[in-house]
Amino acid sequence: MKSNAIALLMVVLLAVGILGAKKDRKGSDDAVAKSNYTVTDEAWFDLTIYDFPEKDEDLKGTLRIGLFGKMAPMTVMNFKEITKGFNRGNIKLKYKGSPVHKVVRDFIIQMGDVIHGNGSGIKSIYGDKFVDENFNLSHRGGGTVSMANLGPDTNGCQFFITMSKSRWLDRKHVVFGKLLEGFEFLAQMNEVPSNARTNTPLNTIKITDCGVDDIIAYDLTDEEYEGNTDVRKTD
C-alpha cells in the first residue's frame, strides 16, 4: 500500500514537472518573440520626389522608421549615426542630401549611398564595411527595413525598404527596422518610373532632411510587424 502511494506521488510530481517545464518553455519563447520587435529608437526621413509624374510638381513626404536596437544593435548604431551625421577625422557620412537610387516596382525602394549616390558606394562608421550581425528577423511584410549589400559581410550605408513580403531575402540581408509611418508616400515612390536596366528612378528622389528621436522602447505585435499600413501608437 505504501509503495503504491509513493509511486502515485512520483507520477504526480513528474506530471507537474512536465507541465511546469512546458509553461516555462512557452514563456521563454513568448519573451523572445516579444523582444524581436522591440522598437528602441525612431528615425525619420523627409524626402522629395521632384517633378512627380503626371502632376508636374514636387511631392514631399516623410518616412518614420522603428529601429530594433536590441535585436541588431551594431547595425542600428551604424544607421543612427549616419542618419544624424557621422564625422570622424576625414570620414563624413550623412544620409541628408543623398538620393533614392533604386526603385524596383512592387519589390524594394533602395537608398543610402552617401558616397557616390548611385549604388556603388560602401562605407560604414566601422570602416569600409561590416559583418552580417544576424539574420534573426525576417522580411515578413511590406515596410521591412534591411541592409543592402554585395554579398556576405559587406554592409555599409545602403539600405532598402520592401514593398511586400520578401522571405527569399532572409539569411541574405540583415533586417533592423520597420516602417511605422509613410506607407502612402512609399507607394508613391514605388510609382516613379525607373530605368529598365539599372532601376534608377527617372525622377530625382532625395532625402532632404533626417534625424533620430529618442523614445521609450515599445513592442510591435506580429500583425504590426507584418502589416503594410501605418502603425499608430497610443500612449
Side-chain angles (χ1 to χ4, degrees), residues 3-33:
S3 60
N4 289 340
I6 294 174
L8 178 61
L9 178 61
M10 291 179 65
V11 169
V12 172
L13 290 175
L14 180 60
V16 171
I18 291 173
L19 291 174
K22 286 182 177 180
K23 182 178 180 180
D24 290 344
R25 185 161 58 248
K26 184 178 185 301
S28 176
D29 290 344
D30 287 346
V32 170

Side-chain angles (χ1 to χ4, degrees), residues 1-219:
M1 188 73 176
K2 184 177 181 181
S3 60
N4 289 340
I6 294 174
L8 178 61
L9 178 61
M10 291 179 65
V11 169
V12 172
L13 290 175
L14 180 60
V16 171
I18 291 173
L19 291 174
K22 286 182 177 180
K23 182 178 180 180
D24 290 344
R25 185 161 58 248
K26 184 178 185 301
S28 176
D29 290 344
D30 287 346
V32 170
K34 188 175 182 180
S35 68
N36 279 353
Y37 310 134
T38 299
V39 175
T40 56
D41 309 89
E42 292 183 2
W44 54 269
F45 289 77
D46 290 338
L47 297 101
T48 298
I49 305 172
Y50 294 91
D51 298 320
F52 187 74
E54 300 181 1
K55 290 191 176 182
D56 295 324
E57 62 182 12
D58 298 344
L59 188 65
K60 298 180 180 181
T62 299
L63 304 180
R64 179 168 288 273
I65 299 170
L67 305 176
F68 303 123
K70 289 184 178 180
M71 182 55 63
M74 184 180 186
T75 307
V76 167
M77 178 62 71
N78 179 71
F79 183 79
K80 286 170 53 179
E81 290 301 312
I82 301 177
T83 300
K84 292 185 291 186
F86 180 78
N87 295 284
R88 182 175 295 169
N90 295 326
I91 302 176
K92 300 183 185 300
L93 307 173
K94 61 179 181 179
Y95 288 131
K96 183 178 179 179
S98 65
V100 171
H101 63 267
K102 182 179 291 188
V103 174
V104 185
R105 184 166 293 189
D106 300 330
F107 178 37
I108 62 167
I109 308 292
Q110 187 165 318
M111 63 194 88
D113 181 353
V114 302
I115 307 301
H116 303 303
N118 59 12
S120 64
I122 301 177
K123 199 75 172 180
S124 79
I125 66 172
Y126 309 114
D128 288 339
K129 54 191 176 183
F130 66 101
V131 299
D132 295 322
E133 185 170 10
N134 61 59
F135 299 110
N136 291 337
L137 296 177
S138 173
H139 302 77
R140 291 170 57 182
T144 299
V145 186
S146 189
M147 292 299 294
N149 60 47
L150 297 176
D153 300 326
T154 58
N155 299 288
C157 47
Q158 296 184 44
F159 63 98
F160 61 85
I161 304 175
T162 62
M163 296 304 303
S164 59
K165 180 165 65 174
S166 308
R167 295 290 299 272
W168 61 90
L169 298 176
D170 291 355
R171 305 202 64 79
K172 297 182 180 70
H173 297 271
V174 177
V175 175
F176 65 93
K178 168 69 179 182
L179 185 65
L180 301 174
E181 298 177 8
F183 273 91
E184 182 178 348
F185 188 69
L186 187 73
Q188 291 170 322
M189 286 195 288
N190 183 60
E191 294 302 315
V192 173
S194 60
N195 182 285
R197 184 178 61 85
T198 64
N199 294 307
T200 303
L202 300 183
N203 296 78
T204 299
I205 309 174
K206 185 171 289 188
I207 299 171
T208 57
D209 201 3
C210 55
V212 178
D213 293 336
D214 294 328
I215 62 167
I216 298 174
Y218 60 91
D219 297 315

